[in-house]
Amino acid sequence: MEANELQEVVLAFASGAKVREKTDRPSLTVPAASLPDLLAKLKADERLSFDMLLDHTAVDWLERGVLELFYQLFSTRHGHTLTVSAEVPREEPVAPSVSGVHLIAEWQEREVYDMFGVLYEGHPDLRRLLLDDSWVGHPLRKDYRDDHMIERPK
Amino acid sequence: MALFDPKGARAETRQVAGKSVAVLLAPRLVRRGFLHDVFYGLKSLLTGMRVTLPYGLTTSRIVTRQYPENRGTLKMYERYRARLTFIRDGQGRHTCTGCRNCEKACPNGSIIIETAKGAVTGKNEVQRFIWRFDACTFCNLCVYTCPFDALEMKGDFEHAVFDRRLLVYNLNSYAGPHASLWDKVEDEEQRKTLATKISPYDGKVPLAGTSMAGCPARAHGEGGAS
Amino acid sequence: MTVQAYTLDDLVKRLDPQATEGASQQYFLNLGPQHPAAHGVLRVMLFLDGETVVRAIPVLGYIHRGIEKMGESLSTRQFIHLTDRLDYLSALMNNWAVARTVEKAAGIEVSPRAEWIRTIMAELQRLQSHLLWLGVLGMDLGAFTPFLWGFRDREELTYIFEETIGARLTMNYVLPGGVMSDIHPEFAARVKKYVAYIRPKIAEYEALLSGNVILEERLRNIGRLSAEDAVSIGATGPVLRASGVALDLRKASPYGAYDKLEFQVPVGTVGDSWDRYWVRFEEMRQSIAMIEQLLGGIPEGPHMSVKPAVKVKLPEGVHYGQLETARGILGVFIAAAGGSDVPYRIHLRSPTFNNLWSVTRLAPGWRIADLVAILTTLDLVIPDIER
Amino acid sequence: MSVFSPAAVIAAPQVFEVKTLASRAATALPGSLLESALYVLLAVVWIVALLALTGLALIYLERKIAGHFQCRLGPMRVGPHGIFQTVADTIKLLVKEDFVPDGADKVLHVVAPFLALTATILLLVILPLSPILQAADMNIGVVYVTAISGFGVMGILLGGWSSNNKWSMIGAMRAGAQIISYEISATLALLVVVLFAGTLRLSGIVQSQADGWWIWRAHGVGVVAFVIYVIASTAEINRTPFDIPEGESELAAGFHTEYSGIRFAFFFLAEFINMFLVAGFAATFFWGGWMPFHVGGLDGFNSVMDLVPAGAWFAAKTSALVFLVMWFRWTFPRLRVDQMMRLEWKILLPVGFVNLFAAALVVLYGLYFFPGT
Amino acid sequence: MGLKIIDDFPGVAMKVPGGSVMLGVMDAVINWARANSLWPLSFGTSCCAIEMLMATGAPHQDMARFGAEVARPSPRQADLLVVAGTIVKRMAPTLRTLYEQMAEPRYVMATGACAISGGPFIYNNYSVVRGADEIIPVDVYVPGCPPRPEAFFYALLTLQRMIRSGDSLKSRHVHKRPVMSALPAGITVADIQEELRDLLERDSAVDVEKEAAAGPWAGKGYC
Amino acid sequence: MFDYFLILVFTGVAAAMVGVVLLIARVIAPRGWSRSKGRPYECGVGTIGPTWIRFNVGYYLFALLFLVFDVEAAFLYPWALVFREVGLTGLIEVGIFVLVLIVGLAYAWRKGALEWV
């Protein structure tokens, strides 16, 4: 399936979805609340069969005040890819968990929680993944600072 | 037939990720009853023992390179990267102009360059080329980006020390200009003042980013004036 | 807020409050961070009954180095040297993955010679990585000799790398636009010699390990990962292929010189430890075959198309690239703000991260010894997981 | 079929007179107390020297042989070809901190290595190295060997249990289950030899092989018993592929995780001496011990064989068996604990029983090769 | 700590005629044994572990030649802690625990840029500890990323030299280092740093130049 | 009888050897103490819960089985020793005795008692 064709098919699925510009593969931006539902549909659909959540991460757009969650989907049957993104506010970042659809999302979401502080609703075991439980803050946020970090001298 | 059949893999073609892929299917290990398994199990063990026996009995398969005994003959590959040095000509002059390309290219701030306008040449001259051996990852980007071929990586590796501070030192043995500028200075007297000799541990080494900020560069005693 | 985050202590209490007081027959045991089978500093908290694993809880972060944060202040060319230190056993392929993503984003053409060099180096490194894995597998299962044999054969490869690249492990060889230096004049001859050397050694390993009844008993049917689960956890590389899904990016979306090569993808049938073992073992043979094919035709041309002084600027947008390393698909996610060679955010999807997850699913019901076998056939590199 | 006659079997071209140190001391006793005490002292010195030297030599050999199996050199830098390597290790361990963890059962933790080493020493006492190099020779020798080698597990069990460490605990549990299980198979294999020899005395068993070794004189029964004995004893001394109580890649260091310094060295030493003992006993029971290679009836050949001293025969046989055990170790992966149990209870034990019956039939009908001249 | 007589042991022995000679010989023997029997703890965190503990033990290099192939998984039996790889904040207490759980005498070697200084992870990093010596006292530093196996052997020789020159009977803790107090729960890396700074100062009393010049591997000055 | 006396002597020798060596170690070996040092080693992190717990029964089952078979093996020794005198009769008698045990083993096998935990 060609990229445009793929986007068309997926757009029909998702309500409130927009094509995300400036990406190098078929991409959509969807409302965060619709994520689990959409991913489940994308997985189940015969033509799409996005059965592998290759990657899930977030980007902290500090100026816009949002955290953009990225889901890289891959179909082991058809070999095509899709990027789904959703935005949550920086101040109160809550997103639904997709761990019911893709098993690995459990850890990927824990990592994103750890690094960005995104709270996932319905996550079975939302703990920090890489940092100590006593860690303060979420280091991959753009405004994160701690005493340990030093800037490289210019 | 033994339990594991090395030729038991089956070749076939499969549709994966929208492509047809030639695959090789793993042979399965099947149990075929008690006596068969015991017999072939024993046989497989003996096969393994037959493989190792020649190793145990002969010395011809030993491949050990005996460092430090072989130190006289041990040659590093010429591209092997283990220490950053200046390229020097026959008279010990380097070609660094202090352009800081390497400092900028270094991913982890292992290079700190202090420059000054040369009194004689009036050009930018490197005063101290401080290299943090303790932090360098030998990624070669400094050598790669150097426009003047002033740097090279050497392959010597015997650098273990008792004190970490000894691993931060100056690469240049004199504070002065680039090699080609020497010849342009005709005056003998001026030539003598062209460069000041410095030792590896001259000057304060800015160990930024460590718990020992600003500690003296020398192992013992005071840090030299810069 | 309705969403609640937990801690490890919470989990321990939730699992069995009695075990902490010794009132139960079940108990907690930490395998790692310092344990010979931890392959570095993996910590798997085991909840055991006798020796049987009731639940395995990987606790990560003992080598989390914050590489992604550092990537936000380094140019991609500088960042590549950090990727060496992720999966240090496929350092070159990690370099390549980032370089490829940057090339794709910035529209840089790479000469066929550079692609050829990258491919043969990648295959040599895959072979090297699998040899090390084979050795470590032997050691984890209690056979010390294969461990050192694996290192013996690996060391010969290391010399090849030393000669051309100048480094043994962390290479920083592939840069956006090509490779840092051209191959050494001796390279082809050396590789040819090595191929002739390694073939009989592989046969020796087969006699010593593959056919061995003890090894077979230790691997067969242990830790079965179904194809469905494997896909769902995003397992890639030999782990996924052992479960029967023949996904290999070298075939599925060929890059480098792979489209010119003929090779087969080894695939398992049921996804147990044995299949994972065999798939990797067979991949070594396939790599050797590929190396031989590659030796046939070295294209002429420059090895680098970008001048050292040039900053490779990333256009604004989100870029994603992926590549098959020795452990599976390495994904590189770059969000660029544009106009700079420093990415706004860089994220690496490491294959072993997903592969490790399967431990939580595979380990329960098996013994500690089997857990070791499962861990070793997953071929984990912990810094790769934690980045 | 002639009914078996022990006297006929034992009649050999050269009669080896067994004179153990204990018997010398005993003969001297009523007359000279001093002489008797001297013999006891000699025995003590002999055994301690044997313990120390064999231990050092075996550890060195193991490291060298392992090196060669693995294409490398092994110890090289301490003395020529590293021969003083183990000496350095011993001294280092002697002056290394001897440590008891806080939560451990202190008394048992200290006593455990002592038990392991005691069992080893007590076995060395009756090992017949040659007709004269044997400290004691009891009439219940075989039973004694079985009993004391089972006693060695106490050290491991207590050491693992008292450490207050979960890895040690699992190691001890495994060791207990493993060693007692394999004890049975070893016993069954030895019973075969007792059947053949008709005596429990070790010197008697050696002398019963004057016409040939039991491994080849009994239509395969000896071979099966030998194989069972080697496997079972390798398991009893925790050598790879049966090293599960201390399996490094699984249990950290297993039962001796919390041991350091010289008490760790005791476990280490006991393990290596046990390997020597297993090889020595296997040689004694199945390969004729110090008895030269004899073929019943060929007196000329036998007397040529007798030119090689008995001690050398023992040394050669034991070395070969020690090499075999090391060869196992550097070839095989480790078994899993349940597989090891299965091997014992489902394979070795039934085979052992069947073999014992076969042996009984062989003895009953005198089906030996060379049933005596 | 310990019996009175034990603490006084060298002094008591001194009174015996020829005692000091005997002590000197004993010292030499003990140091010889310790230097030649450095059993490493099989501990490695990342890339350096491959080179420092695996490749060095491998046939081509073979650290067994130095008697150092007996890698112990338990710190109780190990003499040498090779810090091979990056130490992150979360790992720091573990490293400290491992060091403390090693039986005396114990030696520490920091190999590679990460273990010496944090290496590539010094700047803009929130997680990596800048050098193992912020956690535990280090005897020998081996620069490289990772150092090649021969560099490890050179470091081993350096360490052996250090041990041989020690006075093992009089100063029962090699290096005259106090056994540092335990790491209580909840302590941060910053807390340890203070203590370690003092130790490092004391450490610099080692005459490096003399050490470097004395041996057959001398004459490798920088530049 | 002297042999047994010698065994006694060697028990003493072993004890003395261990004692001497421990004393040497105590006198010369350095010692240090810290809080972490005394804690059990569990891969460098703290252990959770006590070590001495009720351990899985599987391990003890084999001890029971061992008891049965080892006692039986002890009975076989005298038989093996005097086998040439008791001959076929002895073989049959012992055969019956062993058969009972083998039936027991078979029963245990069928019941799964020989399956490890």
Side-chain angles (χ1 to χ4, degrees):
Chain A
M1 218 183 287
E2 288 298 309
N4 294 338
E5 200 185 336
L6 186 74
Q7 252 164 4
E8 294 290 308
V9 175
V10 179
L11 275 177
F13 264 78
S15 56
K18 295 195 298 280
V19 173
R20 195 191 188 284
E21 298 296 330
K22 290 180 185 149
T23 57
D24 57 355
R25 50 173 66 186
S27 306
L28 297 176
T29 303
V30 299
S34 68
L35 275 168
D37 210 30
L38 176 68
L39 260 53
K41 276 189 203 156
L42 292 177
K43 188 180 182 182
D45 188 85
E46 278 290 308
R47 289 165 300 165
L48 302 171
S49 132
F50 282 113
D51 48 3
M52 188 185 274
L53 177 57
L54 205 59
D55 198 356
H56 167 43
T57 188
V59 178
D60 179 14
W61 299 108
L62 188 64
E63 282 170 20
R64 280 164 53 205
V66 292
L67 293 168
E68 190 172 10
L69 308 175
F70 284 92
Y71 297 82
Q72 308 287 348
L73 296 169
F74 180 74
S75 164
T76 52
R77 191 176 335 156
H78 306 299
H80 49 218
T81 54
L82 177 73
T83 304
V84 176
S85 79
E87 287 181 358
V88 290
R90 281 187 97 241
E91 301 311 316
E92 204 183 305
V94 183
S97 168
V98 298
S99 52
V101 187
H102 297 282
L103 289 174
I104 190 60
E106 185 191 330
W107 273 22
Q108 290 172 339
E109 284 170 357
R110 272 175 67 188
E111 191 192 334
V112 173
Y113 159 68
D114 196 355
M115 294 295 152
F116 292 92
V118 179
L119 291 161
Y120 288 90
E121 256 174 334
H123 191 283
D125 179 25
L126 193 62
R127 285 183 287 127
R128 279 188 183 271
L129 183 73
L130 296 172
L131 298 173
D132 209 68
D133 284 325
S134 59
W135 196 280
V136 181
H138 302 282
L140 281 187
R141 286 193 171 211
K142 282 282 175 183
D143 54 355
Y144 176 85
R145 289 285 173 278
D146 68 20
D147 297 341
H148 188 76
M149 274 178 87
I150 44 173
E151 292 280 326
R152 179 171 166 181
K154 289 280 177 270
Chain B
M1 199 191 79
L3 299 172
F4 168 71
D5 176 13
K7 295 194 174 60
R10 229 162 4 95
E12 61 176 55
T13 309
R14 280 197 190 171
Q15 286 291 319
V16 181
K19 291 243 167 75
S20 61
V21 178
V23 303
L24 207 56
L25 268 178
R28 275 319 283 171
L29 305 166
V30 217
R31 311 254 87 182
R32 290 193 176 74
F34 186 79
L35 283 179
H36 174 277
D37 293 353
V38 168
F39 179 74
Y40 278 106
L42 265 176
K43 198 181 149 198
S44 76
L45 296 181
L46 292 175
T47 312
M49 287 171 75
R50 203 187 61 217
V51 172
T52 51
L53 186 65
Y55 285 91
L57 292 181
T58 61
T59 54
S60 59
R61 297 174 195 227
I62 290 173
V63 293
T64 308
R65 315 201 302 179
Q66 295 190 65
Y67 179 86
E69 286 86 348
N70 71 349
R71 211 173 156 276
T73 54
L74 186 67
K75 282 266 181 295
M76 290 294 114
Y77 293 104
E78 58 191 40
R79 291 187 191 175
Y80 184 68
R81 318 194 288 246
R83 182 164 66 97
L84 184 66
T85 57
F86 270 176
I87 298 177
R88 289 168 210 279
D89 59 14
Q91 289 153 290
R93 297 177 309 196
H94 60 71
T95 56
C96 178
T97 61
C99 72
R100 290 174 193 272
N101 266 15
C102 49
E103 191 179 342
K104 281 177 221 143
C106 181
N108 49 341
S110 309
I111 296 173
I112 301 128
I113 301 176
E114 286 173 12
T115 53
K117 272 255 152 54
V120 181
T121 57
K123 295 258 171 67
N124 214 22
E125 287 175 6
V126 62
Q127 296 296 303
R128 293 171 65 223
F129 189 105
I130 305 158
W131 178 50
R132 289 192 63 179
F133 200 170
D134 65 340
C136 182
T137 56
F138 309 96
C139 66
N140 210 30
L141 283 177
C142 48
V143 178
Y144 182 71
T145 49
C146 181
F148 300 98
D149 281 340
L151 295 165
E152 67 173 341
M153 285 283 184
K154 282 214 170 134
D156 50 348
F157 51 84
E158 292 159 324
H159 305 301
V161 290
F162 292 121
D163 195 308
R164 166 181 167 182
R165 283 164 286 194
L166 291 169
L167 293 173
V168 183
Y169 58 88
N170 305 322
L171 279 191
N172 52 336
S173 51
Y174 65 87
H178 175 273
S180 64
L181 290 177
W182 286 67
D183 301 330
K184 289 183 184 147
V185 181
E186 310 252 305
D187 184 24
E188 270 307 309
E189 283 306 304
Q190 273 192 330
R191 260 201 197 196
K192 274 180 191 159
T193 58
L194 208 52
T196 355
K197 200 167 164 45
I198 58 168
S199 85
Y201 296 110
D202 267 343
K204 265 191 182 314
V205 174
L207 272 174
T210 72
S211 56
M212 305 182 294
C215 76
R218 278 175 192 278
H220 3 269
E222 69 297 335
S226 77
Chain C
M1 204 174 287
T2 51
V3 189
Q4 169 83 44
Y6 299 97
T7 64
L8 187 61
D9 293 344
D10 293 339
L11 184 71
V12 168
K13 286 197 193 89
R14 249 191 303 164
L15 265 180
D16 191 352
Q18 286 188 319
T20 50
E21 292 143 28
S24 151
Q25 189 182 287
Q26 298 174 325
Y27 60 101
F28 285 98
L29 180 66
N30 287 302
L31 192 142
Q34 198 280 120
H35 188 276
H39 295 217
V41 286
L42 174 66
R43 174 180 170 196
V44 184
M45 215 160 116
L46 298 173
F47 190 47
L48 295 167
D49 181 1
E51 264 189 61
T52 312
V53 177
V54 178
R55 194 164 162 182
I57 309 154
V59 182
L60 303 180
Y62 288 89
I63 187 75
H64 171 64
R65 301 185 279 197
I67 283 178
E68 291 179 8
K69 184 80 175 175
M70 294 180 72
E72 293 172 10
S73 57
L74 295 174
S75 72
T76 44
R77 192 189 277 167
Q78 290 174 328
F79 181 75
I80 282 176
H81 103 293
L82 289 179
T83 61
D84 282 333
R85 282 144 191 92
L86 292 171
D87 178 358
Y88 37 80
L89 300 179
S90 30
L92 218 138
M93 289 177 256
N94 295 350
N95 295 172
W96 192 2
V98 177
R100 219 166 77 88
T101 313
V102 173
E103 282 156 10
K104 207 170 65 172
I108 299 169
E109 279 289 317
V110 184
S111 73
R113 187 179 177 86
E115 290 285 30
W116 181 90
I117 296 175
R118 288 173 175 188
T119 313
I120 190 163
M121 288 290 180
E123 281 316 308
L124 285 171
Q125 189 152 53
R126 194 184 311 275
L127 181 60
Q128 193 192 34
S129 167
H130 285 353
L131 277 171
L132 186 135
W133 158 81
L134 186 73
V136 170
L137 174 126
M139 188 179 68
D140 280 352
L141 299 183
F144 205 70
T145 300
F147 173 65
L148 293 180
W149 286 9
F151 265 90
R152 173 196 63 193
D153 299 345
R154 181 186 173 277
E155 189 79 6
E156 297 286 346
L157 267 174
T158 310
Y159 294 148
I160 294 176
F161 288 132
E162 256 183 70
E163 191 177 42
T164 286
I165 298 172
R168 290 165 58 87
L169 197 66
T170 49
M171 320 213 173
N172 191 36
Y173 184 57
V174 183
L175 296 178
V179 291
M180 197 180 253
S181 56
D182 207 349
I183 51 168
H184 195 271
E186 297 280 304
F187 178 76
R190 260 178 178 275
V191 174
K192 209 167 269 170
K193 215 171 122 193
Y194 182 77
V195 168
Y197 162 85
I198 192 70
R199 278 255 160 81
K201 301 289 180 208
I202 297 275
E204 256 180 20
Y205 289 124
E206 188 148 48
L208 183 65
L209 285 173
S210 304
N212 190 300
V213 68
I214 301 176
L215 187 97
E216 184 225 311
E217 282 284 322
R218 289 293 304 273
L219 297 180
R220 198 167 44 95
N221 286 340
I222 307 293
R224 275 188 187 217
L225 184 66
S226 69
E228 195 187 333
D229 276 0
V231 170
S232 184
I233 66 171
T236 46
V239 176
L240 178 68
R241 294 197 280 275
S243 294
V245 183
L247 175 67
D248 188 334
L249 288 186
R250 292 174 292 173
K251 285 275 191 197
S253 53
Y255 53 91
Y258 285 114
D259 48 354
K260 300 187 193 74
L261 300 178
E262 266 183 36
F263 62 100
Q264 288 166 311
V265 179
V267 166
T269 47
V270 297
D272 58 359
S273 291
W274 164 259
D275 277 343
R276 289 193 283 273
Y277 168 83
W278 186 85
V279 164
R280 273 201 199 88
F281 199 93
E282 186 59 33
E283 272 188 14
M284 290 202 283
R285 285 214 189 93
Q286 299 292 344
S287 283
I288 295 170
M290 273 185 251
I291 291 164
E292 276 197 325
Q293 291 174 41
L294 282 162
L295 280 176
I298 311 174
E300 290 299 320
H303 64 271
M304 179 54 115
S305 56
V306 178
K307 293 236 159 60
V310 174
K311 276 188 177 180
V312 180
K313 286 194 177 139
L314 295 159
E316 192 190 343
V318 175
H319 314 284
Y320 201 86
Q322 55 199 33
L323 185 141
E324 185 85 22
T325 74
R327 277 156 199 79
I329 295 176
L330 178 78
V332 181
F333 173 94
I334 296 177
S340 159
D341 59 344
V342 180
Y344 184 77
R345 160 124 172 83
I346 187 160
H347 166 76
L348 297 165
R349 175 237 188 256
S350 50
T352 36
F353 179 87
N354 300 47
N355 293 355
L356 173 66
W357 196 88
S358 56
V359 170
T360 52
R361 191 143 278 236
L362 299 182
W366 296 105
R367 295 170 195 84
I368 296 176
D370 296 325
L371 178 79
V372 171
I374 290 169
L375 285 175
T376 186
T377 51
L378 288 176
D379 193 12
L380 303 171
V381 172
I382 313 306
D384 185 35
I385 298 170
E386 308 184 349
R387 299 177 299 272
Chain D
M1 293 281 159
S2 68
V3 176
F4 179 81
S5 132
V9 173
I10 291 166
Q14 181 188 343
V15 178
F16 290 94
E17 199 187 350
V18 175
K19 274 202 146 166
T20 63
L21 291 167
S23 68
R24 282 169 201 261
T27 6
L29 196 54
S32 163
L33 192 67
L34 189 70
E35 198 189 333
S36 176
L38 216 62
Y39 276 119
V40 173
L41 193 68
L42 191 65
V44 169
V45 171
W46 159 242
I47 294 295
V48 171
L50 187 67
L51 181 80
L53 291 178
T54 336
L56 290 180
L58 274 180
I59 295 172
Y60 171 71
L61 270 180
E62 169 102 304
R63 289 168 75 170
K64 271 303 208 192
I65 287 176
H68 285 229
F69 269 118
Q70 295 156 356
C71 314
R72 57 191 179 88
L73 285 161
M76 282 298 282
R77 286 178 56 84
V78 191
H81 281 260
I83 48 170
F84 299 126
Q85 183 60 55
T86 42
V87 180
D89 287 335
T90 315
I91 297 175
K92 181 214 63 183
L93 284 168
L94 189 65
V95 293
K96 197 162 168 68
E97 182 180 9
D98 188 22
F99 173 79
V100 182
D102 288 347
D105 189 318
K106 295 217 160 44
V107 176
L108 291 183
H109 196 262
V110 173
V111 163
F114 160 70
L115 289 180
L117 197 66
T118 308
T120 306
I121 291 178
L122 291 185
L123 281 177
L124 268 184
V125 170
I126 68 157
L127 185 68
L129 274 81
S130 87
I132 47 168
L133 282 179
Q134 187 182 5
D137 187 22
M138 273 156 285
N139 51 2
I140 54 153
V142 179
V143 180
Y144 177 84
V145 170
T146 320
I148 299 294
S149 54
F151 175 67
V153 70
M154 292 292 287
I156 293 176
L157 212 59
L158 287 182
W161 183 83
S162 66
S163 294
N164 186 27
N165 180 308
K166 283 171 185 162
W167 294 118
S168 303
M169 183 77 169
I170 300 176
M173 287 295 177
R174 283 178 169 191
Q178 168 188 353
I179 294 174
I180 56 171
S181 299
Y182 278 85
E183 186 79 45
I184 302 169
S185 282
T187 309
L188 286 180
L190 290 189
L191 272 170
V192 171
V193 177
V194 175
L195 270 181
F196 288 154
T199 174
L200 291 173
R201 195 182 281 275
L202 293 188
S203 58
I205 288 173
V206 173
Q207 284 183 327
S208 74
Q209 303 180 60
D211 277 338
W213 307 340
W214 291 125
I215 189 169
W216 54 268
R217 268 182 72 195
H219 297 281
V221 175
V223 178
V224 175
F226 171 73
V227 170
I228 291 178
Y229 184 74
V230 168
I231 293 177
S233 343
T234 312
E236 268 192 82
I237 57 172
N238 305 326
R239 294 274 307 180
T240 315
F242 305 102
D243 60 341
I244 59 158
E246 47 179 297
E248 267 191 26
S249 52
E250 292 162 24
L251 299 186
F255 65 88
H256 55 56
T257 302
E258 295 286 359
Y259 280 90
S260 72
I262 195 65
R263 283 182 298 121
F264 163 67
F266 283 164
F267 277 127
F268 211 66
L269 183 66
E271 188 186 317
F272 276 86
I273 300 292
N274 281 339
M275 180 170 71
F276 171 69
L277 283 167
V278 162
F281 283 127
T284 302
F285 292 131
F286 298 97
W287 289 12
W290 42 258
M291 185 63 74
F293 182 77
H294 283 176
V295 178
L298 297 178
D299 282 358
F301 174 76
N302 292 350
S303 41
V304 171
M305 285 289 140
D306 287 343
L307 292 178
V308 181
W313 277 104
F314 178 85
K317 292 170 187 175
T318 309
S319 309
L321 282 167
V322 163
F323 181 79
L324 182 75
V325 175
M326 288 183 182
W327 186 10
F328 284 157
R329 173 160 180 185
W330 301 114
T331 303
F332 297 138
R334 182 186 305 124
L335 281 161
R336 204 173 57 202
V337 60
D338 62 319
Q339 290 161 353
M340 205 171 68
M341 289 304 183
R342 205 166 66 219
L343 174 66
E344 159 62 16
W345 292 97
K346 296 190 177 171
I347 297 179
L348 291 189
L349 194 62
V351 172
F353 271 122
V354 170
N355 194 47
L356 184 63
F357 269 88
L361 292 177
V362 168
V363 174
L364 194 62
Y365 297 106
L367 301 171
Y368 303 102
F369 298 114
F370 319 111
T373 41
Chain E
M1 199 196 288
L3 300 164
K4 184 78 177 71
I5 180 126
I6 295 167
D7 290 335
D8 292 339
F9 171 66
V12 173
M14 283 296 209
K15 286 171 193 152
V16 184
S20 55
V21 177
M22 190 199 83
L23 267 183
V25 172
M26 261 177 81
D27 236 6
V29 169
I30 290 172
N31 285 340
W32 167 80
R34 280 180 181 161
N36 283 306
S37 169
L38 288 165
W39 293 359
L41 180 70
S42 52
F43 169 76
T45 57
S46 52
C47 351
C48 281
I50 301 287
E51 289 284 84
M52 290 295 100
L53 289 154
M54 292 169 149
T56 47
H60 278 272
Q61 317 296 345
D62 191 20
M63 66 178 164
R65 293 182 291 118
F66 298 82
E69 90 274 36
V70 197
R72 302 306 310 166
S74 164
R76 311 288 190 199
Q77 298 142 14
D79 310 292
L80 175 62
L81 175 61
V82 182
V83 186
T86 322
I87 303 299
V88 302
K89 280 185 184 171
R90 194 167 193 184
M91 190 66 192
T94 302
L95 178 65
R96 176 69 173 224
T97 309
L98 286 173
Y99 173 73
E100 284 185 9
Q101 290 190 340
M102 284 170 78
E104 298 274 350
R106 52 198 170 179
Y107 310 96
V108 180
M109 198 189 278
T111 63
C114 295
I116 299 176
S117 68
F121 308 105
I122 294 176
Y123 300 112
N124 299 312
N125 193 296
Y126 52 88
S127 141
V128 172
V129 175
R130 298 188 187 98
D133 50 15
E134 302 203 351
I135 319 291
I136 54 173
V138 173
D139 293 309
V140 176
Y141 298 86
V142 195
C145 193
R148 57 182 299 124
E150 284 95 341
F152 174 81
F153 294 144
Y154 178 74
L156 205 64
L157 292 168
T158 315
L159 185 63
Q160 286 185 348
R161 183 188 310 286
M162 188 196 87
I163 296 167
R164 285 212 193 91
S165 65
D167 199 353
S168 60
L169 284 175
K170 279 186 194 142
S171 57
R172 307 177 77 221
H173 304 292
V174 191
H175 257 255
K176 303 187 179 73
R177 271 186 189 142
V179 176
M180 283 177 290
S181 58
L183 191 67
I187 197 169
T188 64
V189 174
D191 297 335
I192 318 171
Q193 280 175 3
E194 280 303 313
E195 184 186 353
L196 274 160
R197 202 161 299 152
D198 298 345
L199 274 167
L200 274 167
E201 287 304 317
R202 215 169 308 159
D203 226 18
S204 62
V206 179
D207 190 342
V208 186
E209 274 141 34
K210 199 177 136 213
E211 291 281 352
W217 299 280
K220 302 290 296 175
Y222 300 109
C223 300
Chain F
M1 275 323 281
F2 205 90
D3 294 312
Y4 297 97
F5 171 68
L6 212 58
I7 300 302
L8 201 69
V9 169
F10 274 103
T11 319
V13 167
M17 233 175 87
V18 169
V20 167
V21 165
L22 281 180
L23 195 72
I24 294 173
R26 182 140 290 209
V27 170
I28 303 178
R31 261 179 302 161
W33 184 89
S34 72
R35 221 179 315 172
S36 301
K37 190 166 204 165
R39 295 207 186 106
Y41 163 74
E42 199 174 300
C43 301
V45 286
T47 183
I48 303 168
T51 305
W52 292 317
I53 51 157
R54 284 182 287 139
F55 221 72
N56 191 302
V57 72
Y59 292 83
Y60 307 119
L61 271 183
F62 283 89
L64 292 176
L65 279 173
F66 163 74
L67 214 60
V68 175
F69 283 95
D70 210 41
V71 168
E72 163 254 321
F75 282 135
L76 287 181
Y77 271 116
W79 163 75
L81 201 57
V82 296
F83 178 61
R84 289 185 201 92
E85 283 135 57
V86 294
L88 194 60
T89 337
L91 181 61
I92 291 165
E93 280 169 7
V94 156
I96 292 166
F97 170 63
V98 172
L99 198 67
V100 173
L101 281 162
I102 288 179
V103 168
L105 180 68
Y107 180 73
W109 192 329
R110 277 297 291 270
K111 274 299 214 187
L114 301 185
E115 296 302 324
W116 182 259
V117 219

